[in-house]
Amino acid sequence: MSSLVRLRLLPSAKCLYTQPVQVLVDGLRSSQVVTMKARATDDKGVLFHASAVYRADSGGVVDLRRDPSLGGSYTGVEPMGLLWSLRADTLHTKFYKSDSRKPHVVRFSVHEVEAAAGPALAEATNERRLLADGVARQPIKEGNIRGVLFVPPGEGPFPAVLDLYTFGGGLSERRASLLANCGFMVLTVALYGHDDQPKKVTKLHLDYFEEAIQLLRKHPKAMDSGVGVISISKSGDLALSIATYLPNVKATAWINGCCSNVALPLYYRGSQIRSALMYDTRGITVTESGALNIKHGLHDHLAPENEGSLIPIERAAGRFLFVAAEDDLNWDSCLFANQMEERLRRLGKDNFEKVVYPQSGHYLEPPFGPYCPSSFHGVVGAPVAWGGEPKAHATAEVHLWNKIQEFFRTHLVPEAGAAKARL
C-alpha cells in the first residue's frame, strides 16, 4: 500500500447497518484514475464483491458523494453504490444476513486502474452493526412461539411490532433488529423449520400469530395502543389475515404480497377460514439467466372457484400501508395493491395508503444491503427472478425504510398520530 494514499470512511468506520458513510480517498495524483473495490462475506460464508472506476479531482481526491463512477458494477454518482452493488460470483445467490449479533463487515480498497487485481494503494474496513448500543436481543421459546424479541434501551413504553420477514423455514433477525434500533419493540417469528419446529407444514394457523401478539402486548415495556405487523411476499397475505381476523392490530405494512391466501390453507381455532390460492405453471416463464419469472404464476384470484382464498380486508379495524414494486417478478403486487385500494374505496373505507416504486423488484429490504436479482425459491424449488433495476431499487429501499417508521409511529404512538392529525 502507498503511504501517501488514504481511504477514509466518514464520519466513522463503525456505524449501524442503515447509516450511510462517506467514502473518501486522498493522496492520489491529479486526475488519477483508480478502481474502488468492496468485498463482504455473508452469514453462509459466501463472498460478495463490487468495483467501480473513479477519476480523482485536481487535488488528488475521490469523494463518492460527489464523483461519478465511470464504469464497473454501476455508473454515475452513487455514494453507497459499492454496498448495494455487491454481488456473488455464482448466479442466483442472495446475500444472507440473519444473525443480528454479527455485523456486516465490508472491506474497501483503492487500486491502480491498470492493476486492479494487484496490491491496494489503501484499504479501510466498514463495520455495519445490526444492533445499536443498548438494544436487548432475547430469543423466544414460549408456548408455541419461536423467535427473537428486540427491545430498545430505556424504560419505554415502546410501540410494538410483529415482524413476519419470511415465509421460508428458519428465522431472520435483520429487519427486526434494525427497527428496534429506531425505537420499536419488535418480535420476529419463525413459521417453521426453526429450533424444534417441523421442517415442513401443510397448513398454517392464525392462532400462532394471535399468541405472538399476546406475547408482545403483555411485555411491561410495550405501548398499550395495539401492535403493528410488517411483512413481505407470502407473509403479506398472512399479515392481511392477521389484521382482518385478530384484535389489537392497529397498523399493517404489506410489502409485495398477494391479496389472497396463497399456497397453504389458513386455520383459526380448529376451523379453516381461508382456502389456498394455488400456482398455475402455465403462467411461468424462464428469464435469460435461467431463473423463473413467476409473476403470473397464480390462478385467477377473482375467479368464483377461488373466492374462499380472498381475504376480506374490509373487516379490518386498523390501518394498512400497501407497498408495491412495479417490476416485482415474484407477484403481480401492483395489481393486488390496486385491487385492494379499489375494493376498500368502493366500500367507503379510507384506512389505507399506497406507495408504488417504479423499476424496483420484489425484495424491498432495509437499505444499503446487496441488491439481489434472483435466488433459489424454497417453495418453487428453483431459482426465481425478483426483478428491479439496481439503482432504482436501492433508492426505493431508502425511501421505504423511512416510510415504514413514519407509518408505525403515526398509528402506534398516540401522541404522534394526534400531532399528524392536527397538521
Side-chain angles (χ1 to χ4, degrees), residues 227-246:
V227 303
V229 179
I230 185 169
S231 61
I232 189 170
S233 197
K234 162 60 189 174
S235 69
D237 64 70
L238 290 175
L240 296 180
S241 292
I242 291 168
T244 297
Y245 292 105
L246 300 181

Side-chain angles (χ1 to χ4, degrees), residues 66-356:
R66 174 198 68 189
D67 301 326
S69 165
L70 307 177
S73 300
Y74 60 92
T75 57
V77 179
E78 296 291 335
M80 300 293 281
L82 286 172
L83 290 178
W84 57 251
S85 68
L86 286 163
R87 192 81 60 88
D89 287 332
T90 306
L91 279 175
H92 317 311
T93 303
K94 190 174 188 298
F95 185 80
Y96 183 77
K97 174 57 67 175
S98 173
D99 190 339
S100 62
R101 296 166 295 184
K102 299 178 181 178
H104 175 30
V105 178
V106 185
R107 294 174 174 83
F108 294 96
S109 57
V110 57
H111 303 255
E112 294 275 8
V113 72
E114 299 87 356
L121 299 174
E123 295 179 311
T125 298
N126 186 197
E127 185 178 299
R128 309 184 63 79
R129 294 180 296 137
L130 277 71
L131 277 178
D133 292 339
V135 173
R137 175 190 179 275
Q138 179 185 354
I140 297 296
K141 187 176 182 180
E142 182 175 325
N144 294 306
I145 304 303
R146 302 293 180 268
V148 178
L149 177 68
F150 295 94
V151 183
E155 295 302 315
F158 305 108
V161 176
L162 177 63
D163 186 332
L164 309 178
Y165 174 76
T166 178
F167 172 69
L171 185 71
S172 176
E173 302 179 19
R174 176 168 43 163
R175 187 172 63 184
S177 62
L178 297 176
L179 276 174
N181 296 344
C182 301
F184 299 95
M185 176 186 295
V186 188
L187 172 63
T188 181
V189 295
L191 305 186
Y192 64 92
H194 177 69
D195 197 51
D196 57 353
Q197 291 178 317
K199 300 301 180 186
K200 293 184 179 180
V201 291
T202 57
K203 56 186 177 181
L204 294 172
H205 296 270
L206 207 58
D207 312 70
Y208 181 76
F209 306 105
E210 185 173 46
E211 188 177 343
I213 289 172
Q214 290 170 351
L215 188 153
L216 261 176
R217 296 196 73 227
K218 74 180 183 182
H219 194 283
K221 292 187 178 182
M223 193 168 284
D224 188 25
S225 56
V227 303
V229 179
I230 185 169
S231 61
I232 189 170
S233 197
K234 162 60 189 174
S235 69
D237 64 70
L238 290 175
L240 296 180
S241 292
I242 291 168
T244 297
Y245 292 105
L246 300 181
N248 302 308
V249 179
K250 299 300 184 184
T252 300
W254 173 97
I255 303 171
N256 288 336
C258 186
C259 55
S260 290
N261 181 64
V262 176
L264 296 170
L266 184 64
Y267 285 72
Y268 183 47
R269 297 182 178 176
S271 299
Q272 180 177 305
I273 57 172
R274 291 291 101 188
S275 59
L277 182 68
M278 302 306 292
Y279 286 93
D280 183 356
T281 56
R282 293 172 298 179
I284 297 175
T285 59
V286 182
T287 66
E288 290 184 5
S289 71
L292 302 180
N293 178 341
I294 63 173
K295 181 170 188 170
H296 303 294
L298 289 172
H299 286 285
D300 181 3
H301 61 293
L302 298 180
E305 63 270 23
N306 296 320
E307 183 179 358
S309 68
L310 195 63
I311 302 164
I313 58 172
E314 64 275 6
R315 301 181 191 175
R319 302 284 307 187
F320 289 108
L321 172 63
F322 301 136
V323 179
E326 284 191 347
D327 195 35
D328 183 355
L329 299 184
N330 184 75
W331 309 93
D332 198 345
S333 54
C334 279
L335 172 68
F336 299 141
N338 289 340
Q339 288 179 345
M340 288 191 290
E341 176 186 30
E342 179 184 350
R343 181 177 177 180
L344 290 174
R345 287 195 188 281
R346 187 173 66 248
L347 294 171
K349 300 279 187 174
D350 62 356
N351 60 332
F352 66 90
E353 53 186 304
K354 184 180 71 173
V355 182
V356 176

Side-chain angles (χ1 to χ4, degrees), residues 2-23:
S2 170
S3 59
L4 299 177
V5 179
R6 293 188 304 168
L7 197 166
R8 292 183 289 159
L9 305 173
L10 304 174
S12 173
K14 293 185 177 182
C15 64
L16 294 178
Y17 185 97
T18 54
Q19 290 178 332
V21 291
Q22 180 186 7
V23 182

